[in-house]
Amino acid sequence: MGSRDKSVLWYNPTFPGLTDVQKDLLENYSGLKPEVITSHVLSIRDKAWDVHPLPCIGQFRFIDFSLSRSTSYPRVLELLKSGGKLLDLGCCFGQDLRKLVHDGAPASSLYGADLRSEFIDLGYDLFLDRNRIGVQFLTADIFDPNSSLKQLDGQMSVVYIGLLLHLFDWEGQRKACERIVGFLKPEKGVLVLGQQVGSLVACDVMSGGERKVTRHDLASFEKLWKEVGERTGSQWEVRANLDEGLGVGDGTRAWDRHETRRLVFEVERVL
């Protein structure tokens, strides 16, 4: 999926329109006038496509605000308002962090990290908040033990990983989750929330013909976190489900296998 060719299936040439949530944030947080939103979003999307032509860019997932639809979102807001901290790993444009700020979370409690600084910069351009957001953004690789993420070890109450883990194979996902455990406070009740591409039957697939990645069903995802717990001296309760989100149900992911589903999860430390 490295081609910048705009004829690929995962590049949507037309803007699909705004949900009420998207309209509220872009108008009332970013201050965009309704008549310029479509052209503004399309312009930013095409700049991002030139950086890295991922399906999440081609299909406008960077204005999806998926964290706010999590069952535990009200709990997350309360945790942040009472002093907890949240890290959004693979934050892309930092869209979920903007939604948290808009909903009353203190920006000083929020951190975003992405491998590509260009996406972080485009987030400022998209949401028009470069000099006022107050969130700390880091350009870092989760697999680099000496990256700037190291300063966050043991401090987070919540880690959000939207559309991140499915970029790796089983070993890569296990190593990423072990690192995530290290970012969290070593106590019961800390949370890992997210979504990713999953499958009705767990499998390995080739991504872009370049590398093997693992897609989980519910049992394999629970097995992953059991293994992570054993290796980190912790125990985790996995609450997950498979659905037809991310365009699976409406036919906009024509490149996928018929077993493909969205995996949505909440993982909570219990010991």
Side-chain angles (χ1 to χ4, degrees):
M1 292 186 180
S3 173
R4 289 172 173 79
D5 181 359
K6 293 179 180 179
S7 68
V8 294
L9 292 171
W10 51 91
Y11 181 90
N12 188 345
T14 59
F15 187 59
L18 295 172
T19 65
D20 289 342
V21 171
Q22 292 167 336
K23 187 174 185 292
D24 171 54
L25 191 135
L26 290 169
E27 290 184 11
N28 297 315
Y29 171 82
S30 299
L32 286 163
K33 294 182 179 179
E35 62 269 21
V36 305
I37 289 177
T38 296
S39 61
H40 179 69
V41 173
L42 284 169
S43 172
I44 298 296
R45 192 277 299 270
D46 285 348
K47 290 178 181 178
W49 186 259
D50 288 337
V51 172
H52 201 30
L54 293 167
C56 61
I57 300 299
Q59 296 207 312
F60 301 98
R61 300 298 172 202
F62 55 86
I63 53 169
D64 195 25
F65 311 126
S66 55
L67 172 58
S68 66
R69 296 194 298 275
S70 299
T71 302
S72 292
Y73 189 66
R75 177 181 172 188
V76 169
L77 282 174
E78 288 305 313
L79 280 169
L80 295 172
K81 291 175 183 178
S82 61
K85 297 180 179 180
L86 177 145
L87 170 62
D88 184 351
L89 272 174
C91 67
C92 193
F93 289 10
Q95 62 273 10
D96 290 291
L97 297 169
R98 268 76 178 196
K99 175 63 172 162
L100 282 164
V101 171
H102 188 51
D103 288 342
S108 59
S109 297
L110 302 176
Y111 301 81
D114 202 276
L115 190 61
R116 296 181 179 273
S117 62
E118 299 96 329
F119 284 167
I120 294 172
D121 283 337
L122 285 167
Y124 293 129
D125 294 341
L126 175 62
F127 296 106
L128 305 178
D129 61 358
R130 184 179 298 271
N131 297 317
R132 64 181 173 89
I133 182 173
V135 171
Q136 183 173 341
F137 286 101
L138 306 170
T139 302
D141 183 345
I142 188 174
F143 298 113
D144 179 357
N146 297 312
S147 77
S148 55
L149 286 167
K150 188 174 183 180
Q151 65 184 287
L152 305 181
D153 283 356
Q155 297 183 45
M156 299 297 116
S157 300
V158 185
V159 173
Y160 182 64
I161 41 174
L163 306 180
L164 176 66
L165 286 184
H166 64 214
L167 300 175
F168 314 120
D169 62 10
W170 181 283
E171 183 179 3
Q173 292 186 32
R174 176 183 55 74
K175 289 179 178 178
C177 290
E178 289 177 25
R179 190 69 191 95
I180 287 166
V181 172
F183 296 135
L184 290 160
K185 293 180 178 180
E187 61 188 33
K188 292 191 293 184
V190 294
L191 293 167
V192 180
L193 308 178
Q195 63 173 349
Q196 63 195 65
V197 177
S199 177
L200 292 174
V201 179
C203 60
D204 290 333
V205 300
M206 296 304 295
S207 175
E210 300 171 0
R211 66 185 189 280
K212 181 180 73 174
V213 299
T214 297
R215 292 185 176 177
H216 290 286
D217 60 16
L218 299 181
S220 71
F221 192 66
E222 190 162 349
K223 180 181 177 183
L224 173 70
W225 275 96
K226 184 178 182 190
E227 188 174 318
V228 170
E230 290 170 349
R231 294 174 65 93
T232 58
S234 57
Q235 290 184 20
W236 301 83
E237 177 187 344
V238 176
R239 302 184 290 270
N241 65 278
L242 291 165
D243 64 24
E244 294 189 342
L246 294 177
V248 172
D250 59 20
T252 58
R253 293 181 61 95
W255 63 91
D256 269 328
R257 298 148 57 115
H258 74 273
E259 301 97 341
T260 298
R261 295 294 185 273
R262 177 178 67 160
L263 176 66
V264 182
F265 56 87
E266 299 186 355
V267 185
E268 180 171 352
R269 184 165 182 169
V270 294
L271 185 65

